Amino acid sequence: MTNRIKELRRRQGLTQDGLGKLVGTGRSQIVKLERGERRLTVEWMRRLARALECHPAELIDTDVGTEDFDDTGDSVSASTGYPNQVENRISRQRYDALASGFDAPESDFAPRSGEAAPASVAVPATANLLRDVEVRGVAVGGNESCFEFNGEVVDRVRRPPGIAGASNVFAIYVVGQSMSPRFEEGEIVFVHPGRPATSGCDVIVELHGHDGDPGQCYIKRLVKKTPTRTVLQQFNPARDDIAFDNDNIRAMYRILTASELLGV
């Protein structure tokens, strides 16, 4: 799917590196997004729109044809003006949300052919959700699978209903691609330090630093934890034998699932 990121970036007088810094990523990711080599997720659209001072829907290039295709087509219907290929074919209701408020729940995505419709979930109006969850800043480490918390709060996002009364929750933007396709770089994940990490759940593991410096952090899946060692799994490239001595681990944070965030 083509987009208008490059056009809007140039309109703001920004380089690819400059835009990357504004949205918390590197130049290479901006290049991939502009070329359509990386999926333009809803979260990426929110972050880019904020940096480019535009409405998120303006990032979508809908001028891809005028033929009247049905809902399985890959172009735009001349009779409705809706793009049929936006975020892997967004439903018409979802496109309306993009054009008007851009805060409709993800459950508005239409099912693909042969798939069952998603279950209906009552979600509070976005305006009623407090924007008080801190997004912690990270510094990318020596390889793309690790990072460090830099001590900064780079953003505040709305609190999902499932953690309405929880304290000490925070969020981060995913760095690296070691957990793709479970988590793509630039996606936001929520963490609840009070919920125990169990085998099979996704976690952030923070190691002890040296001489007062922050320790390295990793987003992985917890395989098992023994009295002496913690074993982790990553998806890209696939490994399930990453292990750390427990004495080297400062903290392990559980990443909340979608159902936990919705409170279902």
Side-chain angles (χ1 to χ4, degrees):
M1 183 182 68
T2 57
N3 61 69
R4 300 178 60 221
I5 299 174
K6 181 185 291 186
E7 172 192 343
L8 295 170
R9 172 176 61 77
R10 289 178 172 175
R11 184 182 299 176
Q12 293 294 321
L14 291 170
T15 63
Q16 291 171 327
D17 184 63
L19 178 57
K21 291 179 180 178
L22 288 176
V23 300
T25 189
R27 177 181 177 276
S28 63
Q29 298 306 320
I30 299 300
V31 171
K32 291 177 182 178
L33 287 164
E34 289 185 350
R35 293 176 178 174
E37 296 173 358
R38 178 169 292 283
R39 187 164 60 93
L40 189 58
T41 64
V42 171
E43 184 57 43
W44 271 120
M45 292 174 73
R46 287 194 178 103
R47 294 167 64 185
L48 289 166
R50 187 182 299 117
L52 295 172
E53 299 180 7
C54 68
H55 193 283
E58 294 180 59
L59 295 165
I60 302 170
D61 185 359
T62 60
D63 187 19
V64 294
T66 57
E67 293 180 284
D68 191 3
F69 291 94
D70 62 22
D71 284 346
T72 62
D74 286 332
S75 190
V76 175
S77 169
S79 61
T80 65
Y82 288 99
N84 291 324
Q85 187 186 7
V86 177
E87 270 262 273
N88 294 330
R89 299 189 181 95
I90 291 178
S91 67
R92 294 180 178 180
Q93 294 89 342
R94 181 60 177 166
Y95 185 73
D96 282 336
L98 288 172
S100 58
F102 203 69
D103 274 322
E106 297 297 321
S107 58
D108 281 345
F109 278 91
R112 298 182 186 180
S113 176
E115 292 182 352
S120 177
V121 176
V123 179
T126 302
N128 296 330
L129 302 177
L130 297 176
R131 192 184 293 274
D132 66 345
V133 177
E134 294 180 348
V135 180
R136 297 189 182 178
V138 299
V140 179
N143 62 73
E144 69 167 15
S145 68
C146 72
F147 58 92
E148 298 173 351
F149 290 122
N150 64 15
E152 298 179 3
V153 176
V154 298
D155 202 355
R156 283 182 171 82
V157 294
R158 296 190 186 277
R159 178 180 291 267
I163 54 173
S167 59
N168 300 323
V169 295
F170 66 92
I172 72 164
Y173 292 119
V174 174
V175 295
Q177 303 175 41
S178 67
M179 288 297 284
S180 175
R182 178 68 179 93
F183 300 119
E184 298 291 352
E185 185 161 23
E187 289 188 42
I188 194 166
V189 295
F190 290 83
V191 169
H192 191 325
R195 295 191 182 178
T198 56
S199 297
C201 70
D202 299 310
V203 295
I204 297 175
V205 174
E206 182 181 9
L207 304 183
H208 288 290
H210 300 286
D211 300 324
D213 293 330
Q216 291 182 331
C217 301
Y218 300 84
I219 296 179
K220 305 296 178 191
R221 177 160 293 178
L222 178 60
V223 176
K224 64 180 179 179
K225 184 175 182 179
T226 72
T228 59
R229 289 174 68 78
T230 295
V231 182
L232 306 169
Q233 176 187 13
Q234 71 178 28
F235 297 158
N236 182 34
R239 289 186 58 187
D240 60 3
D241 60 348
I242 303 170
F244 296 107
D245 290 338
N246 291 342
D247 289 343
N248 292 334
I249 296 177
R250 179 180 181 272
M252 185 158 56
Y253 308 101
R254 174 173 174 158
I255 297 175
L256 298 178
T257 65
S259 59
E260 289 174 317
L261 293 172
L262 290 173
V264 297

